Amino acid sequence: MNAAETVSHEEVQAFFDEVLGLDLSDKHAEWYQVDVSAVLDGCQVQGHEVDSASGDSLIFLKSSLLFCSPELGVMRHYPRSLIHCFIEDKRTIKDPEDEDLLFRGELFSVTPESEQLCWVRDCTYDYEIPSTQSIISSWMKWLNQA
């Protein structure tokens, strides 16, 4: 096993450890273990994110990403060229409609509405901003890979 395969294997294991550590139903946990695992077989996984509230996840591959939603029963694959990142810093400009929102990062796709990716990190407290900026930095590194 070469270094890239070792890192990918470790990332896949970290992903499944995190997902299966959530309070998922048996059906959703099995979906990740069987279906998502089968799709990832042989893929070079570079990173992941998990939404602990919904059980949804993003899996960053070499030149694309995979959105997984056990509740919807969908896996959606997006080439990196269709993914965009927006960052909004609202600490100095208060929006009356989003008065609690201080900072936001969003990954989204340019795809038909029913297939769109919309992965959002919102910060309503100052202490959340540095970790969100770090996450956005990893998104930007992935987006800018050659």
Side-chain angles (χ1 to χ4, degrees):
M1 190 179 289
N2 67 31
E5 289 172 334
T6 300
V7 169
S8 179
H9 179 73
E10 289 172 1
E11 185 58 43
V12 169
Q13 188 61 51
F15 167 70
F16 283 114
D17 288 348
E18 186 171 348
V19 165
L20 297 175
L22 299 176
D23 188 24
L24 297 176
S25 69
D26 290 344
K27 178 182 172 185
H28 291 164
E30 182 179 334
W31 180 78
Y32 267 114
Q33 290 176 310
V34 175
D35 299 310
V36 175
S37 179
V39 169
L40 291 177
D41 186 37
C43 290
Q44 193 174 44
V45 175
Q46 296 184 335
H48 72 276
E49 285 192 40
V50 176
D51 181 335
S52 58
S54 68
D56 292 350
S57 62
L58 285 183
I59 303 167
F60 294 87
L61 305 170
K62 184 176 179 182
S63 58
S64 60
L65 66 80
L66 184 66
F67 167 76
C68 301
S69 176
E71 187 67 36
L72 299 174
V74 299
M75 288 180 262
R76 294 186 179 140
H77 179 257
Y78 300 94
R80 185 171 44 221
S81 61
L82 295 181
I83 304 297
H84 300 276
C85 179
F86 280 176
I87 303 162
E88 295 179 85
D89 188 344
K90 297 182 174 236
R91 289 174 285 184
T92 58
I93 303 168
K94 295 293 182 188
D95 183 348
E97 291 183 23
D98 286 328
E99 60 186 52
D100 293 338
L101 185 64
L102 297 176
F103 192 86
R104 165 182 270 199
E106 180 179 349
L107 277 181
F108 66 95
S109 64
V110 182
T111 52
E113 184 177 341
S114 64
E115 300 169 6
Q116 285 180 349
L117 171 69
C118 183
W119 191 264
V120 177
R121 291 286 182 158
D122 285 339
C123 300
T124 55
Y125 299 101
D126 285 326
Y127 69 85
E128 297 172 318
I129 295 173
S131 64
T132 298
Q133 288 171 327
S134 179
I135 289 166
I136 293 169
S137 173
S138 69
W139 295 350
M140 295 300 291
K141 288 174 192 166
W142 177 81
L143 283 167
N144 286 295
Q145 288 178 14

